[in-house]
Amino acid sequence: MDHLQLAAHTFSSRLILGTGKFSSAALMLEAVKASGAQLVTVALRRFNREQLEDDLFGPLSEMPGITLMPNTSGASTAAEAIKAAHISRELSGSPFIKVEIHPNPQHLMPDPIETMEAARVLASEGFLVMPYISPDPVLAKRLEDVGCASVMPLGSAIGSGQGLASAAMLSIIIRESSIPVIVDAGLRAPSEAARAMEMGCSAVLVNSAIAASDNPAEMAAAFRDATDAGRRAFKAGLMRESSEAVATSPLTSFLGEQS
Amino acid sequence: MTLLPDWLTHNNDCRELEAMLRNRSPESLETMAARSRAMTLRRFGRTMPLYAPLYLSNYCSSGCAYCGFASDRTTPRRKLSEEEIRREIAAMKQLGIQDILLLTGERTATVGFEYLQRAVEIAAESMQRVTVEAFPMSVEEYRELAMGGCTGITIYQETYDPLQYEALHRWGPKKDYLYRLETPERALEGGIKTVGLGVLFGLSDPVTDALMLYRHARHLEKTYWRGGISVSFPRLRPQTGGYEPTYPVDDHLLARIILAFRIAMPDVELVLSTREKPSFRDGMAGLAITRMSIASRTTVGGYREGESPEEGQFEISDSRTAEEFCQALRNRRIEPVFKNWEPAYNGPSGEIPGCS
């Protein structure tokens, strides 16, 4: 079977859902269900155990077949992310932590230096670390070296809907990585999820494109199908792209001639 | 005459914004609304983080001509004791509020830094997020507030027009235009994570003020790359003292200004308070605004007492309860969010262990 393997955890779905930005918890849950996702991420800042109608964690934790991956969105330093990871593990019991460190609250680009430090500490403490990063092939290898369970490079800026603007860098990361590469952020259309999977990504994470849609459950199902299609195409082996015509007379028939 | 810094007066990257503000055709407003709505939805989704203000005190040392709490008003003065602050916060938490804005007037002998610092600490014990709208402070004072759990400050320039500013701020420490202008920089320098900017529309030419507000925000973004910026759009309301706006801003123009800011600053948090009426708030919620106040009281205290007979700083136009307002948001397919912060992230920004 073709499964997504994250450390000792196996998932048949390769679509991971973000849970913020939905117009209601009920619609979010419907979308998660329709997406077939088994792994979903939820921000620690949206855990609200004092006020259950405002809480995203509770309803997700009760969903059968769902593994929660808390995230540290809102943290701006390694120290804050580490603290948040500890609280998240205590509240959720999940071994996964999606490390998101964005010191600039406007563009939300991940800080590579702080992310590296948080990942190193948290991996050594036994967390399954899933770092959200810019598409930097060297950083991806450095994170692999310290024991991350995957790397999660952005396709393009969060909420930008610019799709796989970073495709060239992503393809280097995919080629060189020994751990799963999960494209996170920027995907707008299911076709972009399919393309990421065709490139050889292990999974994709989608939030805004589903949450902001007029029909989140339907969009989630479309992303599910596209992710599957892209993965199947990757496994089957895509035909090579070629812009050169193939000459009817061989161009290299002179090779091996005697004189 | 105040000498304004270049970044406030010489900046050509606001030509598009200026064009949006100067064009007053209804068609252009619709086009802007469609663009702003799509941008807001894409970047912020269908959620609305909510906060509520708590007026700690109405003592004030300044003489702002337009304010109900100016020091020459006959309004009775009071400040909340520590015990009263705790009780107010408990009452606010009953309404579901987890994100609080603490307000005071300009610094006085009765209400100074230590009082505010203590109030922040008390609020941070039970609120998820604490921000402050008070008097300008020093870098060191801001650092201490951040240590106490304050993550953001709001400081409006009121108007960027130095002549109007001089005329309207009749006495007191607020007369110092440049000291106030540089306050957000001191706050960010001190490790406050987010600064809220704004002008009080109605005091001066709204287009000029909006352009300078934009330049101020851009200057801060470029200079303090870790800083969170939010922009508010308060409009002059009837207040104690009966000040009439010299440059009234109608609903159409205010909406245009807000939409133009969303288009010019796609990632910046835009805030709207209960100064505005329900229809305007509900309409703008889906189009550009990404943070709103609820169930506000503008009297000192006021949550525990219910409706207070005292006069507040200004009149509230949206007096709906928290539940009524949340329902209105839900009807527009927007989820009200009470907790959108985690105290684990409190503390001065940019402090990296081993480096500080």
Side-chain angles (χ1 to χ4, degrees):
Chain A
M1 282 293 283
D2 177 39
H3 283 143
L4 169 65
Q5 191 75 34
L6 293 167
H9 299 255
T10 306
F11 302 93
S12 56
S13 164
R14 291 176 180 273
L15 174 59
I16 303 172
L17 247 60
T19 54
K21 302 189 177 181
F22 282 86
S23 62
S24 73
L27 273 178
M28 182 268 287
L29 295 171
E30 268 178 44
V32 170
K33 206 167 161 195
S35 73
Q38 295 166 306
L39 191 56
V40 300
T41 187
V42 55
L44 174 62
R45 62 190 162 88
R46 297 294 307 277
F47 281 49
N48 189 352
R49 306 309 289 158
E50 282 183 28
Q51 217 174 339
L52 296 181
E53 66 280 8
D54 192 56
D55 180 39
L56 292 186
F57 166 70
L60 282 166
S61 65
E62 286 160 14
M63 256 184 113
I66 294 293
T67 300
L68 282 179
M69 174 169 63
N71 72 63
T72 65
S73 161
S76 60
T77 64
E80 289 171 7
I82 292 166
K83 208 188 315 174
H86 291 160
I87 298 169
S88 300
R89 184 159 67 177
E90 202 173 303
L91 291 175
S92 72
S94 172
F96 288 99
I97 186 74
K98 182 173 174 234
V99 173
E100 276 191 62
I101 304 179
H102 27 69
N104 178 307
Q106 273 80 246
H107 60 48
L108 301 177
M109 290 293 170
D111 184 324
I113 298 162
E114 297 294 305
T115 302
M116 185 68 215
E117 174 59 11
R120 189 185 62 73
V121 171
L122 293 170
S124 74
E125 292 176 352
F127 281 91
L128 300 179
V129 180
M130 314 273 283
Y132 166 61
I133 58 170
S134 287
D136 177 339
V138 174
L139 178 63
K141 290 307 282 185
R142 292 285 304 265
L143 288 162
E144 183 181 324
D145 284 348
V146 298
C148 288
S150 77
V151 284
M152 306 185 75
L154 54 87
S156 50
I158 290 182
S160 71
Q162 290 172 0
L164 297 172
S166 62
M169 291 294 118
L170 283 174
S171 64
I172 302 175
I173 296 176
I174 294 164
R175 191 179 72 213
E176 300 302 325
S177 185
S178 313
I179 53 175
V181 176
I182 299 169
V183 167
D184 177 5
L187 299 187
R188 183 184 64 86
S191 56
E192 293 160 357
R195 187 175 162 224
M197 297 308 293
E198 288 164 3
M199 286 169 66
C201 286
S202 298
V204 292
L205 189 150
V206 183
N207 185 0
S208 309
I210 294 173
S213 146
D214 287 337
N215 187 339
E218 189 61 15
M219 187 59 83
F223 268 97
R224 174 197 64 203
D225 293 349
T227 307
D228 278 351
R231 178 64 185 176
R232 289 166 67 188
F234 173 74
K235 293 291 280 183
L238 265 72
M239 191 178 88
R240 280 182 69 89
E241 214 175 314
S242 172
S243 56
E244 301 87 33
V246 178
T248 43
S249 307
L251 300 174
T252 54
S253 56
F254 60 89
L255 297 174
E257 285 178 10
Q258 293 302 312
S259 55
Chain B
M1 173 73 202
T2 307
L3 188 62
L4 303 184
D6 280 353
W7 54 258
L8 192 56
T9 52
H10 296 78
N11 179 337
N12 287 325
D13 82 353
C14 56
R15 275 176 295 195
E16 195 193 351
L17 178 66
E18 185 166 3
M20 287 189 280
L21 295 175
R22 298 227 184 265
N23 182 341
R24 299 291 165 87
S25 75
E27 298 78 23
S28 71
L29 190 63
E30 264 309 299
T31 310
M32 284 167 63
R35 197 170 160 202
S36 170
R37 179 177 176 274
M39 292 170 86
T40 305
L41 193 58
R42 201 163 62 207
R43 172 61 177 75
F44 296 91
R46 298 184 186 270
T47 59
M48 184 65 69
L50 302 172
Y51 73 98
L54 175 62
Y55 281 76
L56 296 171
S57 150
N58 59 0
Y59 284 95
C60 191
S61 52
S62 277
C64 309
Y66 49 83
C67 178
F69 287 168
S71 64
D72 60 338
R73 309 285 185 239
T74 51
T75 315
R77 305 290 162 165
R78 65 182 285 229
K79 69 170 183 177
L80 298 178
S81 67
E82 285 193 18
E83 190 44 43
E84 286 173 318
I85 294 172
R86 283 182 205 283
R87 287 206 293 255
E88 288 293 327
I89 287 173
M92 292 170 84
K93 291 206 74 168
Q94 286 292 315
L95 300 174
I97 291 154
Q98 308 228 12
D99 186 328
I100 191 174
L101 173 68
L102 301 176
L103 296 100
T104 72
E106 278 291 321
R107 198 188 298 244
T108 60
T110 318
V111 174
F113 177 73
E114 282 81 21
Y115 172 81
L116 182 62
Q117 184 182 28
R118 187 69 196 121
V120 165
E121 287 166 359
I122 292 169
E125 286 169 11
S126 56
M127 286 284 174
Q128 299 287 343
R129 184 160 184 248
V130 182
T131 57
V132 160
E133 182 172 345
F135 39 83
M137 287 167 240
S138 68
V139 173
E140 200 35 58
E141 286 173 330
Y142 280 124
R143 183 163 300 278
E144 286 185 42
L145 277 197
M147 302 281 284
C150 170
T151 61
I153 64 138
T154 298
I155 191 99
Y156 301 145
Q157 189 64 24
E158 318 293 11
T159 174
Y160 287 90
D161 174 345
L163 294 178
Q164 272 295 85
Y165 189 95
E166 176 72 23
L168 291 166
H169 300 102
R170 298 167 299 170
W171 59 79
K174 199 165 167 180
K175 264 201 110 51
D176 191 339
Y177 178 105
L178 283 179
Y179 188 71
R180 192 168 182 88
L181 184 70
E182 290 160 359
T183 302
E185 299 186 39
R186 290 194 304 278
L188 292 167
E189 197 73 45
I192 295 288
K193 288 176 192 277
T194 303
V195 294
L197 309 180
V199 296
L200 185 51
F201 287 105
L203 295 181
S204 188
D205 174 56
V207 172
T208 309
D209 262 344
L211 291 174
M212 288 171 99
L213 172 62
Y214 172 77
R215 289 183 185 131
H216 194 180
R218 288 293 300 132
H219 167 71
L220 293 172
E221 279 196 313
K222 286 187 192 173
T223 315
Y224 296 88
W225 68 275
R226 288 173 179 278
I229 310 288
S230 70
V231 179
S232 302
F233 301 91
R235 172 162 55 159
L236 201 56
R237 303 285 315 152
Q239 6 251 315
T240 319
Y243 180 84
E244 285 298 319
T246 327
Y247 296 81
V249 170
D250 65 13
D251 287 357
H252 281 77
L253 181 55
L254 186 61
R256 177 178 290 280
I257 292 168
I258 296 172
L259 297 170
F261 264 81
R262 168 55 64 229
I263 293 165
M265 309 195 88
D267 296 324
V268 163
E269 188 173 74
L270 303 183
V271 186
L272 197 61
S273 80
T274 52
R275 280 174 188 261
E276 297 301 332
K277 59 182 180 258
S279 60
F280 190 85
R281 276 173 37 100
D282 294 359
M284 293 311 292
L287 295 182
I289 293 298
T290 53
R291 180 169 159 81
M292 296 178 103
S293 56
I294 48 165
S296 301
R297 304 270 185 271
T298 65
T299 50
V300 177
Y303 289 93
R304 202 169 46 90
E305 300 156 5
E307 289 298 329
S308 168
E310 288 172 39
E311 286 185 282
Q313 190 191 23
F314 56 85
E315 280 178 25
I316 285 169
S317 296
D318 184 353
S319 55
R320 289 174 292 182
T321 63
E323 192 37 55
E324 286 165 347
F325 181 60
C326 288
Q327 196 48 52
L329 286 178
R330 289 191 194 103
N331 292 346
R332 288 177 179 259
R333 299 185 61 201
I334 297 169
E335 181 168 46
V337 174
F338 287 90
K339 177 175 180 284
N340 193 37
W341 184 247
E342 174 54 44
Y345 309 140
N346 286 355
S349 74
E351 290 218 336
I352 296 163
C355 300
S356 53

